[in-house]
């Protein structure tokens, strides 16, 4: 089955709503490489309406301008773009379509489609939160910036049960950004103080 990969720029205190003031100073070749690697995993772009409108308002013009980022802009344009929106949209960017029916059902169908290589979700926090709750996110690829944003929407919302994650890869960049790739994991066994007290340093 195709993997669903969420890729997010995030602050050290968990804010995934990007503020250019704390994001762009840390963007370098390493981060660009990481983004390129993330997009190489997928042929379907799954995005919420605000993300779509932001992308569609910028990338087609960059592709047409033929600058340094034109190849990546063309790659985005050529990808199938499935947009999550509660209202109808008029699409100006090629290969764009509105998600049909329930989001969870639609993504499950995409994952099971043998013609789909992979599904990537850039940003689109509300979409990621819904799919995390449904157990449909296969990887969280986070670029953790060395800044506490202190305001903005966080990736993980309030809920009754924790999400347990396994670290499958990490990489530290010279800027202080840490790339972390998480995959879902089973909850560890129940452990209390009596089980770990032997590991507590003596004298504490």
């Amino acid at each position: 089955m195709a993997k669903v990969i969420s890729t997010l720029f995030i602050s050290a205190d968990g804010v995934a709503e990007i503020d250019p003031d704390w994001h762009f100073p840390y963007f370098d070749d390493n981060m660009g490489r990481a983004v390129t690697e993330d997009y190489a995993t997928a042929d379907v772009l799954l995005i919420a309406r605000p993300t779509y409108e932001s992308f569609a308002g910028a990338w087609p013009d960059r592709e047409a301008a033929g600058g340094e980022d034109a190849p990546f802009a063309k790659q985005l344009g050529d990808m199938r773009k499935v947009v999550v929106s509660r209202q109808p949209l008029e699409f100006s960017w090629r290969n764009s379509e509105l998600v049909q029916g329930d989001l969870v059902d639609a993504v499950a169908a995409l994952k099971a489609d043998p013609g789909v290589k992979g599904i990537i979700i850039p940003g689109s926090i509300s979409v990621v939160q819904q799919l995390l709750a449904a157990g449909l996110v296969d990887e969280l690829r986070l670029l953790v910036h060395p800044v506490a944003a202190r305001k903005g929407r966080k990736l993980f919302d309030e809920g009754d049960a924790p999400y347990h994650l396994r670290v499958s890869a990490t990489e530290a960049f010279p800027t202080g950004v840490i790339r972390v790739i998480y995959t879902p994991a089973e909850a560890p066994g129940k452990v209390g103080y009596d089980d770990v007290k032997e590991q507590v340093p003596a004298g504490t």
Side-chain angles (χ1 to χ4, degrees):
M1 293 185 60
K3 283 186 177 182
V4 173
I5 293 176
S6 164
T7 178
L8 289 158
F9 304 121
I10 192 166
S11 68
D13 57 342
V15 173
E17 183 179 358
I18 295 175
D19 183 334
D21 286 343
W22 62 253
H23 167 57
F24 284 116
Y26 295 102
F27 201 102
D28 66 352
D29 290 343
N30 293 290
M31 195 180 291
R33 169 181 53 80
V35 171
T36 298
E37 290 172 359
D38 292 345
Y39 276 85
T41 66
D43 54 358
V44 174
L45 197 65
L46 178 66
I47 43 180
R49 178 181 54 80
T51 304
Y52 175 82
E53 290 176 343
S54 174
F55 278 26
W59 289 111
D61 290 342
R62 292 171 183 170
E63 180 181 354
E68 291 183 1
D69 54 2
F72 182 64
K74 182 180 185 304
Q75 178 184 349
L76 291 179
D78 290 343
M79 292 180 75
R80 178 182 175 188
K81 289 166 283 291
V82 180
V83 185
V84 182
S85 175
R86 292 189 177 90
Q87 60 191 38
L89 291 173
E90 291 187 9
F91 294 114
S92 58
W93 201 9
R94 68 184 183 275
N95 300 326
S96 299
E97 63 191 79
L98 194 66
V99 71
Q100 298 298 315
D102 177 75
L103 171 62
V104 170
D105 291 342
V107 173
L110 281 172
K111 283 174 64 71
D113 186 339
V116 173
K117 170 186 171 183
I119 304 148
I120 190 167
I121 313 170
S124 306
I125 303 168
S126 62
V127 173
V128 175
Q129 289 175 340
Q130 292 176 69
L131 296 182
L132 277 171
L136 289 176
V137 175
D138 297 290
E139 289 186 5
L140 280 172
R141 298 192 174 199
L142 307 181
L143 289 162
V144 185
H145 294 51
V147 58
R150 303 184 66 195
K151 63 179 180 178
R153 190 172 182 186
K154 295 192 173 184
L155 168 59
F156 297 109
D157 54 0
E158 294 289 330
D160 295 328
Y163 294 125
H164 294 276
L165 305 169
R166 180 177 67 85
V167 176
S168 60
T170 61
E171 183 180 4
F173 299 157
T175 57
V177 170
I178 300 174
R179 185 188 192 194
V180 185
I181 300 179
Y182 289 109
T183 56
E186 294 293 329
K190 188 175 179 61
V191 175
Y193 175 75
D194 287 341
D195 300 298
V196 300
K197 62 185 179 182
E198 291 184 359
Q199 281 75 48
V200 176
T204 60

